[in-house]
Amino acid sequence: MTDAPADPDLLFRALSHVRRRYVLFYLRDRDATSLDELADVVAGWTTADTDALTTPRRRERVLIDLDHVHLPMLADAGLVAYDRDAGEVTRREVPDAVDRLLDVALAVERTLTASADTGECPQET
Amino acid sequence: MGLSEFVERVEGRRRTVVEYSPADSSVFSERLAVRNADVVHRSLPDAGSGGFVVVRRDGEFRGALPLTSVERALASPGGSARDRDEAAFQDFMDLFDETVFASYDRGRMLATAREIEDRAWRVGQGTLVAGFQSAAALGEQADLYETLGGRDGLDVHVYVAADAADAPDVDRVTVHAEPAPELGDFWVLAFDAGGDDANKCALVGEERTDGEFYGFWTYDPDLVDEIVAYLRDTY
């Protein structure tokens, strides 16, 4: 299926923030998830290369950020469907070229993260 | 009300540990199975930053830690604090603030008790309460407890399952002798750190079969306070 719009500006902007990328990466392995789970995943994952404990406060901030900023942007880019009332996030079918781009983005992330010692998220408590 | 009710209560609190990692299955399911936690594994694509674990209690998010930190914290469970990565252990304790154990032998109990006694010595303020299953057991630890009692600011009370006439005197320690069956069955130790929540800890173990203990240790401040109050009010 190639029903999703794929405005290149929206697509590349979608990839320009770590929290949005990790939402997309998490959805590489599954078709749907919830806002609640994405908050756990994005908060935990973006600090996984540090020694930091992710506190409930930090996780709450990630949740609000996903809800208000990142998931609407990903929906605008045609990459996910976000049912805000139900808190459900579903991966949308995308053109093959976009699918390959997401694979490449993951590979780039893996390479650069593995070679960098600094975390992308500042430590918050 | 009795010590067994503390054990029942802690047993009833379940944690869910979700391990997110690129691996096929959880590396913790076996190691955490004896604790009061359900372990779930969810796959992640490898984004280079490694896996992490999320801990929820009664459905509420309590925290997340990198897998590597949890591994370091678990390197020496119940063992000496000196062998362990102290920072990783502190983070781990914030998440798993209590552990239920099903069969600790005397050595394991003693090691856990030492940790609480060491902490009481380091903090140097507050009340330390300790149960002894017999007059002989208190006799063996009398020197250590006399030392602890000699620390300024540390108030040490021991509860020994014996008649007052049989209980040894320990200098600088308040000895409460009661031939109560519960004191004979349980190994109990609690330290309230003089109101410093971060340092409160307790150990409660019932000797269900000879030399085998069933119970928990906890860093939950409210629970520690309740155990201290229970011993002080009851004996």
Side-chain angles (χ1 to χ4, degrees):
Chain A
M1 270 174 65
T2 58
D3 61 334
D7 178 328
D9 281 352
L10 293 178
L11 176 65
F12 287 111
R13 196 172 302 144
L15 292 173
S16 70
H17 194 288
V18 63
R19 288 181 179 169
R20 292 194 291 274
R21 286 197 301 280
Y22 277 32
V23 168
L24 296 172
F25 295 158
Y26 190 59
L27 286 169
R28 301 306 281 163
D29 276 7
R30 52 198 41 81
D31 292 331
T33 182
S34 65
L35 172 64
D36 236 22
E37 171 141 16
L38 280 176
D40 288 12
V41 167
V42 172
W45 209 353
T46 51
T47 48
D49 56 350
T50 70
D51 268 345
L53 175 72
T54 303
T55 61
R57 260 183 72 194
R58 180 178 146 73
R59 184 260 183 198
E60 186 64 22
R61 278 200 292 270
V62 170
L63 183 139
I64 291 166
D65 198 27
L66 289 173
D67 181 39
H68 289 272
V69 180
H70 301 307
L71 291 173
M73 282 182 76
L74 290 172
D76 285 347
L79 295 167
V80 306
Y82 180 36
D83 180 341
R84 209 165 167 180
D85 292 333
E88 283 173 4
V89 182
T90 314
R91 180 165 59 88
R92 293 191 66 179
E93 293 295 330
V94 293
D96 285 348
V98 175
D99 208 43
R100 285 199 299 278
L101 174 65
L102 294 177
D103 280 340
V104 171
L106 177 62
V108 169
E109 189 93 38
R110 181 164 57 237
T111 306
L112 296 184
T113 302
S115 63
D117 286 327
T118 53
E120 261 160 307
C121 279
Q123 219 159 283
E124 303 166 33
T125 49
Chain B
M1 187 65 199
L3 290 171
S4 57
E5 282 172 43
F6 288 111
V7 176
E8 279 167 30
R9 204 193 321 163
V10 171
E11 275 179 310
R13 296 191 198 167
R14 298 295 298 183
R15 278 175 178 60
T16 307
V17 179
V18 187
E19 180 188 334
Y20 292 92
S21 67
D24 290 338
S25 65
S26 168
V27 299
F28 293 114
S29 47
E30 270 182 30
R31 297 170 71 181
L32 290 172
V34 297
R35 299 155 193 263
N36 49 337
D38 301 310
V39 181
V40 177
H41 177 260
R42 298 211 175 108
S43 68
L44 283 182
D46 183 2
S49 56
F52 57 95
V53 293
V54 169
V55 177
R56 289 175 165 268
R57 187 163 83 183
D58 301 326
E60 287 285 302
F61 179 92
R62 276 190 62 86
L65 263 186
L67 274 179
T68 50
S69 295
V70 177
E71 275 159 6
R72 274 183 289 129
L74 285 176
S76 167
S80 156
R82 284 181 293 277
D83 299 340
R84 218 167 26 215
D85 182 318
E86 201 54 39
F89 184 69
Q90 278 306 322
D91 284 342
F92 182 75
M93 289 316 308
D94 283 347
L95 289 187
F96 298 84
D97 55 2
E98 65 208 6
T99 288
V100 173
F101 51 81
S103 64
Y104 270 16
D105 61 16
R106 287 190 175 280
R108 199 83 185 273
M109 291 293 287
L110 200 60
T112 310
R114 283 288 174 269
E115 209 153 292
I116 295 174
E117 290 153 359
D118 281 354
R119 183 174 296 244
W121 178 261
R122 281 199 312 273
V123 173
Q125 57 162 13
T127 300
L128 177 70
V129 297
F132 287 91
Q133 293 175 272
S134 66
L138 174 56
E140 285 168 21
Q141 304 291 324
D143 288 349
L144 171 66
Y145 273 78
E146 192 181 316
T147 306
L148 287 165
R151 186 107 160 97
D152 284 345
L154 214 52
D155 189 15
V156 181
H157 291 258
V158 302
Y159 299 84
V160 56
D163 289 317
D166 300 329
D169 283 330
V170 184
D171 286 346
R172 297 190 281 268
V173 170
T174 311
V175 178
H176 308 260
E178 292 259 4
E182 181 183 63
L183 290 177
D185 293 340
F186 279 84
W187 186 323
V188 55
L189 186 63
F191 173 55
D192 76 358
D196 170 14
D197 280 354
N199 278 304
K200 293 181 185 217
C201 45
L203 166 70
V204 177
E206 183 184 9
E207 192 171 9
R208 292 196 175 169
T209 56
D210 203 22
E212 262 199 341
F213 291 83
Y214 184 100
F216 66 89
W217 49 257
T218 182
Y219 287 71
D220 174 345
D222 294 337
L223 188 58
V224 172
D225 285 344
E226 281 186 61
I227 294 165
V228 173
Y230 169 76
L231 285 172
R232 301 210 62 173
D233 294 348
T234 310
Y235 300 108

